[in-house]
């Protein structure tokens, strides 16, 4: 196995662009790659561009009629079929939509192949993590579900146990749906409670299909307002035990940056420093339980200057075994680029000033009157016994 990590990057992923009024501004991808370069991390990884996912790969997850509908909308956005979730407010059709979406999917699939074959220990595709797309419909800014496609490709290559951990503020509903009946895939999602946030799914009681899929889905629904200590407490109260039990051959993680307190579309209060701590935890868990095989994806994140580039640059540094010091001053060349592109002033450091972030471990006991602890306990009671684990 190669010791170097892969960073999947093709400038053309920035053509995944729903328009100037849409919150998912592709400048977040361009600024992330620029910050990666400003820190020299592009020299600590192998930067690779994979081919777009072809139709046979897309059909590992997506229905043929849906792929055809995306192609038609891509060729002429006026013909977008809203029955497939295309041409909606969340997922406006745009020229070249199929090509840009297939390219992002191809990066995640190519990364999965490289990790499985031992060509790299870790791989990052921060343009990926488009976890809401369903087999037959676009949803939540996501056209093709690259995370599901990467996992499906791992299964096709012979993987028998793949764990997917999603820490985006929104429930990883599309990945859960894709593998609802498949005992080879464990999906774990930590997200804001469905009462207060799209897609209104991800309740603790969603645990996989009865029979072979039972216990294959785990959902932690966090109260709005959850901050660093609670978020980290919930992660460590659920994820390590599950991975220790499941023993995945590959760990796939999704690192949407929209849990951040500055994100305009959600209601958690997590800092960049806690996001970095979870990235480090995922890296460590991959080494502990998956022989180091780790595919890390991006996801949501709509504070496109202040948060997303810093969060995902930390992710690349961790995967490269060249972590960025949270206290480091961000190179002025990057801040100049930020201003030139956005007319905003970029952040000055790689921290929100809260590093290192502390939390109380679940093993120290829980408070039945605490809303965060109630959420964790609901998850453990719903899912753990189905896997033969103590709640």
């Amino acid at each position: 196995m190669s010791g170097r990590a892969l960073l999947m990057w093709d400038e053309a992923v920035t053509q995944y662009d729903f328009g100037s009024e849409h919150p998912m501004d592709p400048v977040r991808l361009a600024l992330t790659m620029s910050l990666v370069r400003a820190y020299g991390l592009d020299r600590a990884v192998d930067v690779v561009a994979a081919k777009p996912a072809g139709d046979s790969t897309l059909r590992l997850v997506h229905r043929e009629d849906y792929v055809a509908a995306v192609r038609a909308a891509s060729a002429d956005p006026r013909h977008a079929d809203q029955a497939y979730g295309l041409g909606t407010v969340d997922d406006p059709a745009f020229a070249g939509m199929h090509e840009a979406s297939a390219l992002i999917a191809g990066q995640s699939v190519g990364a999965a192949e490289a990790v499985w074959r031992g060509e790299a220990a870790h791989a990052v595709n921060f343009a990926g993590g488009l976890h809401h797309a369903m087999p037959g419909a676009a949803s939540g800014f996501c056209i093709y579900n690259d995370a599901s496609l990467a996992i499906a490709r791992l299964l096709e290559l012979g993987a028998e146990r793949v764990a997917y951990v999603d820490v985006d503020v929104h429930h990883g509903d599309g990945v859960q749906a894709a593998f609802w009946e498949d005992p080879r895939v464990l999906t774990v999602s930590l997200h804001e409670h469905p009462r207060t946030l799209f897609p209104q799914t991800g309740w603790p009681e969603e645990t996989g299909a009865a029979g072979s899929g039972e216990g294959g889905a785990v959902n932690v629904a966090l109260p709005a307002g959850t901050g660093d200590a609670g978020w980290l407490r919930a992660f460590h109260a659920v994820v390590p035990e599950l991975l220790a039990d499941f023993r995945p051959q590959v760990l796939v993680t999704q690192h949407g940056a929209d849990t951040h307190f500055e994100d305009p579309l959600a209601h958690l209060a997590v800092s960049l420093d806690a996001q970095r701590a979870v990235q480090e935890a995922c890296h460590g868990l991959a080494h502990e339980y998956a022989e180091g095989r780790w595919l890390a994806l991006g996801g949501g994140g709509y504070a496109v200057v202040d948060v997303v580039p810093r969060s995902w640059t930390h992710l690349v540094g961790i995967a490269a075994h060249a972590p960025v010091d949270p206290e480091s001053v961000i190179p002025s060349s990057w801040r100049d680029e930020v201003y030139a592109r956005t007319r905003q002033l970029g952040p000055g450091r790689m921290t929100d000033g809260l590093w290192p972030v502390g939390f109380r471990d679940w093993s120290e006991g829980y408070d039945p009157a605490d809303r965060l602890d109630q959420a964790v306990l609901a998850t453990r009671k719903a899912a753990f016994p189905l896997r033969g684990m103590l709640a």
Side-chain angles (χ1 to χ4, degrees):
M1 181 183 291
S2 168
R4 283 173 69 85
L6 291 185
L7 174 58
M8 312 305 293
W9 179 251
D10 184 319
E11 207 77 38
V13 298
T14 60
Q15 293 170 17
Y16 189 86
D17 187 354
F18 291 114
S20 59
E21 301 304 312
H22 196 280
M24 189 179 254
D25 187 337
V27 75
R28 69 198 194 121
L29 303 178
L31 289 177
T32 300
M33 192 62 198
S34 293
L35 190 55
V36 164
R37 290 181 176 129
Y39 274 102
L41 293 172
D42 56 323
R43 299 189 296 275
V45 297
D46 293 327
V47 180
V48 174
K51 294 179 180 178
D55 281 9
S56 62
T57 297
L58 294 172
R59 286 199 298 269
L60 291 173
V61 169
H62 294 290
R63 295 200 320 250
E64 190 170 359
D65 59 314
Y66 173 61
V67 175
V70 174
R71 281 187 181 278
S74 181
D76 187 347
R78 295 171 299 177
H79 293 162
D81 189 342
Q82 292 198 4
Y84 291 101
L86 302 168
T88 62
V89 172
D90 274 3
D91 297 282
F94 60 92
M97 180 171 64
H98 167 78
E99 290 75 13
S101 303
L103 180 62
I104 291 173
Q107 305 314 302
S108 292
V109 171
E113 291 171 347
V115 168
W116 180 251
R117 291 170 178 158
E119 295 163 10
H122 312 325
V124 178
N125 177 25
F126 58 74
L130 304 178
H131 60 168
H132 294 307
M134 293 291 175
S139 177
F141 314 164
C142 305
I143 307 300
Y144 294 139
N145 196 316
D146 64 286
S148 294
L149 290 164
I151 294 168
R153 181 65 175 135
L154 288 167
L155 299 176
E156 189 179 50
L157 291 171
E160 297 174 347
R161 294 180 311 284
V162 180
Y164 172 75
V165 176
D166 187 319
V167 297
D168 192 288
V169 79
H170 301 91
H171 177 226
D173 57 338
V175 185
Q176 175 178 286
F179 303 104
W180 186 247
E181 300 178 356
D182 196 330
R184 297 172 297 174
V185 181
L186 172 67
T187 64
V188 186
S189 179
L190 286 83
H191 47 265
E192 185 180 326
H193 202 286
R195 282 196 195 95
T196 54
L197 195 66
F198 174 89
Q200 283 79 51
T201 58
W203 297 78
E205 295 76 19
E206 295 173 33
T207 54
S212 62
E214 206 164 47
V218 181
N219 288 289
V220 187
L222 300 168
T226 297
D228 288 358
W231 194 62
L232 292 172
R233 177 169 166 80
F235 178 93
H236 287 281
V238 173
V239 176
E241 284 183 63
L242 287 167
L243 296 186
D245 171 73
F246 188 64
R247 296 279 166 174
Q249 293 163 296
V250 186
L251 177 61
V252 180
T253 57
Q254 195 268 22
H255 297 271
D258 44 9
T259 51
H260 196 272
F261 54 76
E262 288 187 12
D263 197 273
L265 299 189
H267 319 98
L268 295 191
V270 173
S271 72
L272 178 76
D273 300 292
Q275 291 178 346
R276 186 186 190 278
V278 160
Q279 294 165 4
E280 285 193 331
C282 290
H283 176 225
L285 290 166
H287 279 288
E288 189 167 359
Y289 298 119
E291 297 181 5
R293 297 188 193 95
W294 182 33
L295 169 56
L297 306 173
Y302 310 101
V304 298
V305 170
D306 285 348
V307 179
V308 173
R310 292 190 297 161
S311 187
W312 292 347
T313 297
H314 275 307
L315 180 64
V316 173
I318 289 163
H321 295 154
V324 176
D325 181 356
E327 294 294 339
S328 68
V329 175
I330 291 175
S332 59
S333 59
W334 183 79
R335 300 184 77 221
D336 291 344
E337 181 180 348
V338 166
Y339 189 76
R341 284 179 176 267
T342 69
R343 289 299 182 261
Q344 295 182 46
L345 296 175
R349 292 182 182 271
M350 291 293 284
T351 177
D352 285 336
L354 298 169
W355 186 264
V357 182
F359 67 96
R360 193 167 65 91
D361 193 80
W362 189 254
S363 64
E364 297 176 18
Y366 61 87
D367 178 358
D370 182 83
R371 292 173 66 221
L372 186 281
D373 284 6
Q374 288 169 1
V376 171
L377 197 57
T379 297
R380 291 177 64 100
K381 284 183 173 178
F384 279 34
L386 296 174
R387 305 199 62 82
M389 300 166 61
L390 295 174

